[in-house]
């Protein structure tokens, strides 16, 4: 009976504690005009999407931009856009020339920041030219983290299984 109980607890713990991978996507919808030398800051909030702190494994950030198609100055200078993700270190951020959209995999420092508080800060700055800033799409791959209660069930199940094996050996001897 104890062997059956130990096996049942272990099974429940293992089934409940199986890691579940998931994808959380947060879109910041915006239609913001950025003029020469201007910058605009915003943040993604994964906490509203059911994000569990510490569960981010990898992800991507995509930011849409569009040329306003006005002004002769852009024929000479083009549009240079600086994308700052969390802080200015080019860990995940970068530059875009001629108004092309931004897309980047999330690097270690940015993932650590997301895991700490569930937020991702972004600043978009015009170096030359003016443009429209479109949607910003953050996609994060997550894995569920074992809760203490599930871990406790697993420990109890393993202890019960160990005790039942010890008794079986004692009975056989």
């Amino acid at each position: 009976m104890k062997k059956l109980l130990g096996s049942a607890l272990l099974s429940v713990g293992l089934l409940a504690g199986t890691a579940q991978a998931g994808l959380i996507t947060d879109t910041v919808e915006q239609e913001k005009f950025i003029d020469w030398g201007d910058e605009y800051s915003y943040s993604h909030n994964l906490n509203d999407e059911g994000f569990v702190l510490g569960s981010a494994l990898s992800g991507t950030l995509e930011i849409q931009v569009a040329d306003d198609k006005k002004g002769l100055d852009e024929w000479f200078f083009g549009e240079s856009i600086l994308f700052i993700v969390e802080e200015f270190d080019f860990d995940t951020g970068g530059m875009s020339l001629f108004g092309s959209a931004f897309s980047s995999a999330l690097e270690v420092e940015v993932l650590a920041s997301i895991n700490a508080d569930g937020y991702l800060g972004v600043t978009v700055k015009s170096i030359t030219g003016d443009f429209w800033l479109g949607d910003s799409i953050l996609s994060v791959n997550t894995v569920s983290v074992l809760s203490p209660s599930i871990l406790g069930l697993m420990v109890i199940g393993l202890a019960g299984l160990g005790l039942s094996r010890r008794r079986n050996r004692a009975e056989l001897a």
Side-chain angles (χ1 to χ4, degrees), residues 9-171:
L9 285 174
L10 178 63
S11 298
V12 167
L14 289 176
L15 288 175
T18 303
Q20 300 288 325
L23 176 68
I24 296 178
T25 302
D26 182 59
T27 302
V28 176
E29 296 177 359
Q30 51 202 0
E31 192 171 318
K32 175 78 174 158
F33 183 74
I34 310 292
D35 208 350
W36 280 73
D38 286 350
E39 68 179 50
Y40 177 70
S41 297
Y42 61 94
S43 64
H44 285 272
N45 180 0
L46 292 177
N47 298 313
D48 293 341
E49 309 296 329
F51 178 70
V52 177
L53 296 180
S55 65
L57 296 175
S58 64
T60 58
L61 176 65
E62 298 175 22
I63 304 171
Q64 301 167 352
V65 294
D67 187 1
D68 67 335
K69 307 222 187 259
K70 292 181 183 174
L72 293 174
D73 51 351
E74 293 177 11
W75 285 78
F76 299 107
F77 299 108
E79 283 148 341
S80 300
I81 306 168
L82 181 62
F83 297 94
I84 303 168
V85 181
E86 286 298 321
E87 60 186 41
F88 184 66
D89 63 359
F90 287 106
D91 178 46
T92 295
M95 279 194 79
S96 167
L97 300 175
F98 306 110
S100 59
F102 175 79
S103 181
S104 178
L106 303 180
E107 298 294 334
V108 173
E109 290 179 21
V110 171
L111 285 169
S113 176
I114 291 171
N115 278 322
D117 62 8
Y119 290 91
L120 177 69
V122 179
T123 300
V124 179
K125 181 173 178 56
S126 169
I127 305 299
T128 61
D130 50 7
F131 55 91
W132 285 95
L133 180 62
D135 292 351
S136 179
I137 304 165
L138 174 63
S139 300
V140 176
N141 295 310
T142 63
V143 65
S144 65
V145 180
L146 291 177
S147 69
S149 61
I150 293 172
L151 198 55
L153 277 175
M154 287 177 60
V155 168
I156 290 170
L158 287 172
L161 195 57
L163 285 175
S164 68
R165 291 190 75 182
R166 178 184 277 179
R167 287 204 172 186
N168 283 345
R169 285 185 186 164
E171 289 173 4

